[in-house]
Amino acid sequence: MGSDTLPMKPSPIPTQDDDPPNPSAALLSFNTDSTSSTSNPSHKPTIIFIFLLLITCIALSAAAAFAFLFFSNSSNTTTTPTSTTTSIDSKARPLAKLNHPVVILVSSDGFRFGYQFKTPTPNIHRLIANGTEAETGLIPVFPTLTFPNHYSIVTGLYPAHHGIVNNHFVDPYTGEFFNMGSHEPKWWLGEPLWETVVNHGLKAATYFWPGAEVKKGSWTCPEKYCQQYNGSVPFEERVDTTLGFFDLPSSEIPYFMTLYFEDPDHQGHQVGPDDPEITEAVANIDRMIGRLIEGLEKRGVFEDVTIIMLGDHGMVGTCDKKLIFLEDLASWIEIPASWVQSYTPLLAIRPPAGVDTADIVAKMNEGLSSGKVKNGKQLKMYLKEKLPRRLHYAASDRIPPVIGLVEEGFKVEQKSSKRQECGGAHGYDNAVFSMRTIFIGHGPQFARGRKVPSFENVQIYNLVTKILNIQGAPNNGSESFPKSILLPSA
Ligand SMILES: [Zn+2]
């Protein structure tokens, strides 16, 4: 690992600390058994004594010879170092080959925190062992959905501020629909990292990311550096294209690159988080990380490049008929389907102008808490301004005025149906642990083997601009956060 990237100063080279087997432990099993030959009392005691003496001498010399062989042999054995290194860096490590810092932001969609222990993931664990990890996972923003979260990661803004408040929603002024294929810049507020990087006259590249195809400000989604989304492109091709950027002349190597994988979210929705299909998807993501590492090593830049591996949200199983039907509230209030912009896990209701929203919330909550609505107590309605402040889900007209928070694993539907449902979902309160995902930072400015407390993904934007040493746009992340997680400059 990294033999081609010698740090300038000899002292802070991280040692490949190994754990040699304890030779004394082996000696403990070397037992002498002296519970024999107490028979033959009729023979002369002197003969017995001489015989025993001889036996003892032979046994002792054999033991001495064995011990000699044992120790001389063990001293010749070379101990193979393990890949784990401990954190002994106190300063960021200088670049050895690249002329400028490079960050590759890798997203594995729906990679719930803990998936990394489902199956051997040697490559992800190599990044963890030699990098910095959020010990109990990365906290997504609310709602814990794909588009709001991916765009929060690259803008540092909560969805209310970057405008992508759901995977699909309606503009209350124009009545236009946003969906995951909407690339008009009017939807996408804030300044994503690729735009920030280009604003500084530097190059950025995206191999898929929600919002990356949107031509906005200085970002033109140039053909050479920006891929149009196509979910059927094999993961290997995405990795190899990204690696290909390192074969360009130095001035053309992008400072910032994104790499996106739909898995294991794709499988998670169909089968829930505990299915063997997820295990296989996780193992495959690990293979892709291995492919990325290997390609960077082959080019001699693995230790120079910063890899940030994360996900957008977690996943929870939704079996066992954990359903709430809006039609069951009819005795208290009728909620027509046309009022509902999304059902689950984020229930978002926009009634026509003139309908009293506070009255809707009050009547729905009355019904839900009455004990007469199946699973009613697992759903609570709010005026968006009254949602817990930690959710940051009010300051946008795109957010409908009435929002329901449903408990983990439950789903809301308009009316009862025969449809059998058993799968996985996300989108719940971001305080729910199953919604957490992973964060691993590996590169010159990340300490090796360090664990940091969980943090929200709006901090990533400032982290990346700090690593690239560029000025970022204003955002919801903390200015001091990067300092708390990165090594100080050398
Ligand atoms: Zn997702």
Side-chain angles (χ1 to χ4, degrees), residues 107-111 144-147 149-150 167 260 262 265 269 311-315 426:
S107 168
S108 170
D109 202 310
F111 198 112
T144 52
L145 297 167
T146 299
F147 268 55
N149 272 279
H150 274 101
N167 284 343
Y260 170 78
E262 291 84 351
D265 181 75
H269 281 288
D312 52 347
H313 52 73
M315 183 68 70
H426 54 87

PDB file of all heavy atoms in Angstrom, residues 107-111 144-147 149-150 167 260 262 265 269 311-315 426, ligand 1:
ATOM      1  N   SER A 107     -21.359   8.195  -3.715  1.00  0.00           N
ATOM      2  CA  SER A 107     -22.609   7.914  -3.018  1.00  0.00           C
ATOM      3  C   SER A 107     -23.126   6.532  -3.381  1.00  0.00           C
ATOM      4  O   SER A 107     -23.242   6.182  -4.549  1.00  0.00           O
ATOM      5  CB  SER A 107     -23.680   8.941  -3.372  1.00  0.00           C
ATOM      6  OG  SER A 107     -24.948   8.482  -2.893  1.00  0.00           O
ATOM      7  N   SER A 108     -23.410   5.764  -2.341  1.00  0.00           N
ATOM      8  CA  SER A 108     -24.082   4.482  -2.514  1.00  0.00           C
ATOM      9  C   SER A 108     -25.490   4.672  -1.947  1.00  0.00           C
ATOM     10  O   SER A 108     -25.674   4.796  -0.735  1.00  0.00           O
ATOM     11  CB  SER A 108     -23.310   3.404  -1.756  1.00  0.00           C
ATOM     12  OG  SER A 108     -24.036   2.206  -1.705  1.00  0.00           O
ATOM     13  N   ASP A 109     -26.457   4.738  -2.852  1.00  0.00           N
ATOM     14  CA  ASP A 109     -27.825   5.112  -2.471  1.00  0.00           C
ATOM     15  C   ASP A 109     -28.424   4.111  -1.475  1.00  0.00           C
ATOM     16  O   ASP A 109     -28.370   2.902  -1.698  1.00  0.00           O
ATOM     17  CB  ASP A 109     -28.692   5.183  -3.733  1.00  0.00           C
ATOM     18  CG  ASP A 109     -29.923   6.054  -3.525  1.00  0.00           C
ATOM     19  OD1 ASP A 109     -30.638   5.856  -2.530  1.00  0.00           O
ATOM     20  OD2 ASP A 109     -30.157   6.945  -4.371  1.00  0.00           O
ATOM     21  N   GLY A 110     -28.978   4.637  -0.401  1.00  0.00           N
ATOM     22  CA  GLY A 110     -29.673   3.773   0.564  1.00  0.00           C
ATOM     23  C   GLY A 110     -28.759   2.850   1.344  1.00  0.00           C
ATOM     24  O   GLY A 110     -29.213   1.825   1.855  1.00  0.00           O
ATOM     25  N   PHE A 111     -27.485   3.211   1.457  1.00  0.00           N
ATOM     26  CA  PHE A 111     -26.526   2.393   2.210  1.00  0.00           C
ATOM     27  C   PHE A 111     -26.736   2.673   3.687  1.00  0.00           C
ATOM     28  O   PHE A 111     -26.146   3.565   4.274  1.00  0.00           O
ATOM     29  CB  PHE A 111     -25.088   2.713   1.795  1.00  0.00           C
ATOM     30  CG  PHE A 111     -24.076   1.658   2.181  1.00  0.00           C
ATOM     31  CD1 PHE A 111     -23.435   0.895   1.220  1.00  0.00           C
ATOM     32  CD2 PHE A 111     -23.787   1.417   3.518  1.00  0.00           C
ATOM     33  CE1 PHE A 111     -22.508  -0.088   1.569  1.00  0.00           C
ATOM     34  CE2 PHE A 111     -22.873   0.440   3.883  1.00  0.00           C
ATOM     35  CZ  PHE A 111     -22.226  -0.307   2.903  1.00  0.00           C
ATOM     36  N   THR A 144     -35.962  12.117   4.638  1.00  0.00           N
ATOM     37  CA  THR A 144     -34.825  11.255   4.334  1.00  0.00           C
ATOM     38  C   THR A 144     -35.036  10.542   2.988  1.00  0.00           C
ATOM     39  O   THR A 144     -35.097   9.321   2.916  1.00  0.00           O
ATOM     40  CB  THR A 144     -34.607  10.256   5.480  1.00  0.00           C
ATOM     41  OG1 THR A 144     -35.850   9.578   5.757  1.00  0.00           O
ATOM     42  CG2 THR A 144     -34.188  10.970   6.745  1.00  0.00           C
ATOM     43  N   LEU A 145     -35.132  11.364   1.954  1.00  0.00           N
ATOM     44  CA  LEU A 145     -35.371  10.893   0.592  1.00  0.00           C
ATOM     45  C   LEU A 145     -34.156  11.204  -0.286  1.00  0.00           C
ATOM     46  O   LEU A 145     -33.333  12.066   0.043  1.00  0.00           O
ATOM     47  CB  LEU A 145     -36.604  11.581   0.011  1.00  0.00           C
ATOM     48  CG  LEU A 145     -37.924  11.283   0.742  1.00  0.00           C
ATOM     49  CD1 LEU A 145     -39.017  12.248   0.295  1.00  0.00           C
ATOM     50  CD2 LEU A 145     -38.359   9.834   0.503  1.00  0.00           C
ATOM     51  N   THR A 146     -34.105  10.529  -1.429  1.00  0.00           N
ATOM     52  CA  THR A 146     -32.908  10.577  -2.274  1.00  0.00           C
ATOM     53  C   THR A 146     -32.559  11.968  -2.803  1.00  0.00           C
ATOM     54  O   THR A 146     -31.434  12.431  -2.645  1.00  0.00           O
ATOM     55  CB  THR A 146     -33.091   9.607  -3.457  1.00  0.00           C
ATOM     56  OG1 THR A 146     -33.261   8.294  -2.924  1.00  0.00           O
ATOM     57  CG2 THR A 146     -31.892   9.628  -4.390  1.00  0.00           C
ATOM     58  N   PHE A 147     -33.504  12.630  -3.450  1.00  0.00           N
ATOM     59  CA  PHE A 147     -33.157  13.901  -4.094  1.00  0.00           C
ATOM     60  C   PHE A 147     -32.882  15.007  -3.076  1.00  0.00           C
ATOM     61  O   PHE A 147     -31.876  15.701  -3.188  1.00  0.00           O
ATOM     62  CB  PHE A 147     -34.235  14.290  -5.125  1.00  0.00           C
ATOM     63  CG  PHE A 147     -33.887  13.781  -6.502  1.00  0.00           C
ATOM     64  CD1 PHE A 147     -33.625  12.435  -6.715  1.00  0.00           C
ATOM     65  CD2 PHE A 147     -33.794  14.652  -7.586  1.00  0.00           C
ATOM     66  CE1 PHE A 147     -33.270  11.958  -7.973  1.00  0.00           C
ATOM     67  CE2 PHE A 147     -33.432  14.181  -8.851  1.00  0.00           C
ATOM     68  CZ  PHE A 147     -33.181  12.836  -9.046  1.00  0.00           C
ATOM     69  N   ASN A 149     -31.727  14.739  -0.143  1.00  0.00           N
ATOM     70  CA  ASN A 149     -30.462  14.492   0.546  1.00  0.00           C
ATOM     71  C   ASN A 149     -29.246  14.642  -0.347  1.00  0.00           C
ATOM     72  O   ASN A 149     -28.254  15.243   0.055  1.00  0.00           O
ATOM     73  CB  ASN A 149     -30.481  13.116   1.225  1.00  0.00           C
ATOM     74  CG  ASN A 149     -31.058  13.237   2.614  1.00  0.00           C
ATOM     75  OD1 ASN A 149     -30.364  13.617   3.552  1.00  0.00           O
ATOM     76  ND2 ASN A 149     -32.352  12.980   2.735  1.00  0.00           N
ATOM     77  N   HIS A 150     -29.312  14.098  -1.545  1.00  0.00           N
ATOM     78  CA  HIS A 150     -28.141  14.269  -2.420  1.00  0.00           C
ATOM     79  C   HIS A 150     -27.855  15.748  -2.682  1.00  0.00           C
ATOM     80  O   HIS A 150     -26.703  16.171  -2.768  1.00  0.00           O
ATOM     81  CB  HIS A 150     -28.348  13.524  -3.749  1.00  0.00           C
ATOM     82  CG  HIS A 150     -27.955  12.087  -3.682  1.00  0.00           C
ATOM     83  ND1 HIS A 150     -28.856  11.080  -3.542  1.00  0.00           N
ATOM     84  CD2 HIS A 150     -26.740  11.489  -3.719  1.00  0.00           C
ATOM     85  CE1 HIS A 150     -28.216   9.910  -3.505  1.00  0.00           C
ATOM     86  NE2 HIS A 150     -26.932  10.139  -3.603  1.00  0.00           N
ATOM     87  N   ASN A 167     -38.979  14.238  -3.539  1.00  0.00           N
ATOM     88  CA  ASN A 167     -38.588  13.682  -4.835  1.00  0.00           C
ATOM     89  C   ASN A 167     -39.523  14.167  -5.936  1.00  0.00           C
ATOM     90  O   ASN A 167     -39.167  14.193  -7.106  1.00  0.00           O
ATOM     91  CB  ASN A 167     -38.613  12.154  -4.792  1.00  0.00           C
ATOM     92  CG  ASN A 167     -37.416  11.584  -4.046  1.00  0.00           C
ATOM     93  OD1 ASN A 167     -36.413  12.271  -3.835  1.00  0.00           O
ATOM     94  ND2 ASN A 167     -37.518  10.332  -3.632  1.00  0.00           N
ATOM     95  N   TYR A 260     -21.849   7.938  -8.518  1.00  0.00           N
ATOM     96  CA  TYR A 260     -23.122   7.551  -7.894  1.00  0.00           C
ATOM     97  C   TYR A 260     -23.513   6.122  -8.253  1.00  0.00           C
ATOM     98  O   TYR A 260     -23.447   5.725  -9.424  1.00  0.00           O
ATOM     99  CB  TYR A 260     -24.228   8.524  -8.348  1.00  0.00           C
ATOM    100  CG  TYR A 260     -25.620   8.081  -7.957  1.00  0.00           C
ATOM    101  CD1 TYR A 260     -26.074   8.259  -6.652  1.00  0.00           C
ATOM    102  CD2 TYR A 260     -26.461   7.458  -8.880  1.00  0.00           C
ATOM    103  CE1 TYR A 260     -27.346   7.829  -6.279  1.00  0.00           C
ATOM    104  CE2 TYR A 260     -27.732   7.030  -8.518  1.00  0.00           C
ATOM    105  CZ  TYR A 260     -28.166   7.220  -7.221  1.00  0.00           C
ATOM    106  OH  TYR A 260     -29.410   6.792  -6.855  1.00  0.00           O
ATOM    107  N   GLU A 262     -26.802   3.380  -7.630  1.00  0.00           N
ATOM    108  CA  GLU A 262     -28.194   3.267  -7.177  1.00  0.00           C
ATOM    109  C   GLU A 262     -28.370   2.226  -6.072  1.00  0.00           C
ATOM    110  O   GLU A 262     -29.380   2.227  -5.367  1.00  0.00           O
ATOM    111  CB  GLU A 262     -29.125   2.859  -8.333  1.00  0.00           C
ATOM    112  CG  GLU A 262     -29.325   3.902  -9.404  1.00  0.00           C
ATOM    113  CD  GLU A 262     -28.222   3.884 -10.440  1.00  0.00           C
ATOM    114  OE1 GLU A 262     -27.212   3.175 -10.247  1.00  0.00           O
ATOM    115  OE2 GLU A 262     -28.352   4.591 -11.455  1.00  0.00           O
ATOM    116  N   ASP A 265     -30.066   0.817  -2.469  1.00  0.00           N
ATOM    117  CA  ASP A 265     -31.425   1.357  -2.325  1.00  0.00           C
ATOM    118  C   ASP A 265     -32.422   0.596  -3.186  1.00  0.00           C
ATOM    119  O   ASP A 265     -33.514   0.242  -2.757  1.00  0.00           O
ATOM    120  CB  ASP A 265     -31.439   2.828  -2.731  1.00  0.00           C
ATOM    121  CG  ASP A 265     -32.820   3.448  -2.579  1.00  0.00           C
ATOM    122  OD1 ASP A 265     -33.206   3.719  -1.429  1.00  0.00           O
ATOM    123  OD2 ASP A 265     -33.518   3.638  -3.584  1.00  0.00           O
ATOM    124  N   HIS A 269     -35.825  -1.263  -1.420  1.00  0.00           N
ATOM    125  CA  HIS A 269     -37.251  -0.974  -1.563  1.00  0.00           C
ATOM    126  C   HIS A 269     -38.047  -2.247  -1.835  1.00  0.00           C
ATOM    127  O   HIS A 269     -39.173  -2.399  -1.376  1.00  0.00           O
ATOM    128  CB  HIS A 269     -37.482   0.008  -2.712  1.00  0.00           C
ATOM    129  CG  HIS A 269     -37.174   1.414  -2.315  1.00  0.00           C
ATOM    130  ND1 HIS A 269     -37.981   2.128  -1.471  1.00  0.00           N
ATOM    131  CD2 HIS A 269     -36.150   2.230  -2.638  1.00  0.00           C
ATOM    132  CE1 HIS A 269     -37.465   3.334  -1.295  1.00  0.00           C
ATOM    133  NE2 HIS A 269     -36.348   3.425  -1.981  1.00  0.00           N
ATOM    134  N   GLY A 311     -23.666   7.769   1.914  1.00  0.00           N
ATOM    135  CA  GLY A 311     -24.946   7.423   1.331  1.00  0.00           C
ATOM    136  C   GLY A 311     -25.882   8.592   1.560  1.00  0.00           C
ATOM    137  O   GLY A 311     -25.502   9.609   2.172  1.00  0.00           O
ATOM    138  N   ASP A 312     -27.106   8.464   1.065  1.00  0.00           N
ATOM    139  CA  ASP A 312     -28.052   9.574   1.218  1.00  0.00           C
ATOM    140  C   ASP A 312     -29.023   9.356   2.382  1.00  0.00           C
ATOM    141  O   ASP A 312     -29.545  10.311   2.946  1.00  0.00           O
ATOM    142  CB  ASP A 312     -28.810   9.826  -0.100  1.00  0.00           C
ATOM    143  CG  ASP A 312     -29.444   8.561  -0.676  1.00  0.00           C
ATOM    144  OD1 ASP A 312     -29.114   7.442  -0.216  1.00  0.00           O
ATOM    145  OD2 ASP A 312     -30.267   8.687  -1.604  1.00  0.00           O
ATOM    146  N   HIS A 313     -29.277   8.101   2.735  1.00  0.00           N
ATOM    147  CA  HIS A 313     -30.237   7.765   3.797  1.00  0.00           C
ATOM    148  C   HIS A 313     -30.141   6.278   4.044  1.00  0.00           C
ATOM    149  O   HIS A 313     -29.445   5.572   3.308  1.00  0.00           O
ATOM    150  CB  HIS A 313     -31.672   8.131   3.365  1.00  0.00           C
ATOM    151  CG  HIS A 313     -32.018   7.545   2.038  1.00  0.00           C
ATOM    152  ND1 HIS A 313     -32.263   6.203   1.863  1.00  0.00           N
ATOM    153  CD2 HIS A 313     -32.081   8.100   0.798  1.00  0.00           C
ATOM    154  CE1 HIS A 313     -32.492   5.964   0.576  1.00  0.00           C
ATOM    155  NE2 HIS A 313     -32.378   7.098  -0.096  1.00  0.00           N
ATOM    156  N   GLY A 314     -30.880   5.794   5.034  1.00  0.00           N
ATOM    157  CA  GLY A 314     -30.892   4.374   5.345  1.00  0.00           C
ATOM    158  C   GLY A 314     -32.095   3.671   4.739  1.00  0.00           C
ATOM    159  O   GLY A 314     -32.563   4.028   3.655  1.00  0.00           O
ATOM    160  N   MET A 315     -32.618   2.706   5.467  1.00  0.00           N
ATOM    161  CA  MET A 315     -33.729   1.880   4.956  1.00  0.00           C
ATOM    162  C   MET A 315     -34.329   1.113   6.130  1.00  0.00           C
ATOM    163  O   MET A 315     -33.619   0.710   7.028  1.00  0.00           O
ATOM    164  CB  MET A 315     -33.158   0.893   3.924  1.00  0.00           C
ATOM    165  CG  MET A 315     -34.169   0.012   3.236  1.00  0.00           C
ATOM    166  SD  MET A 315     -35.274   0.902   2.120  1.00  0.00           S
ATOM    167  CE  MET A 315     -34.181   1.361   0.782  1.00  0.00           C
ATOM    168  N   HIS A 426     -37.813   4.584   3.165  1.00  0.00           N
ATOM    169  CA  HIS A 426     -37.063   5.631   3.863  1.00  0.00           C
ATOM    170  C   HIS A 426     -37.814   6.915   3.604  1.00  0.00           C
ATOM    171  O   HIS A 426     -38.719   6.961   2.773  1.00  0.00           O
ATOM    172  CB  HIS A 426     -35.624   5.699   3.347  1.00  0.00           C
ATOM    173  CG  HIS A 426     -35.538   5.859   1.858  1.00  0.00           C
ATOM    174  ND1 HIS A 426     -35.574   7.089   1.240  1.00  0.00           N
ATOM    175  CD2 HIS A 426     -35.475   4.941   0.863  1.00  0.00           C
ATOM    176  CE1 HIS A 426     -35.508   6.909  -0.069  1.00  0.00           C
ATOM    177  NE2 HIS A 426     -35.457   5.619  -0.337  1.00  0.00           N
TER     178      HIS A 426
HETATM  179 ZN    ZN B   1     -31.770   7.290  -1.968  1.00  0.00          ZN
END
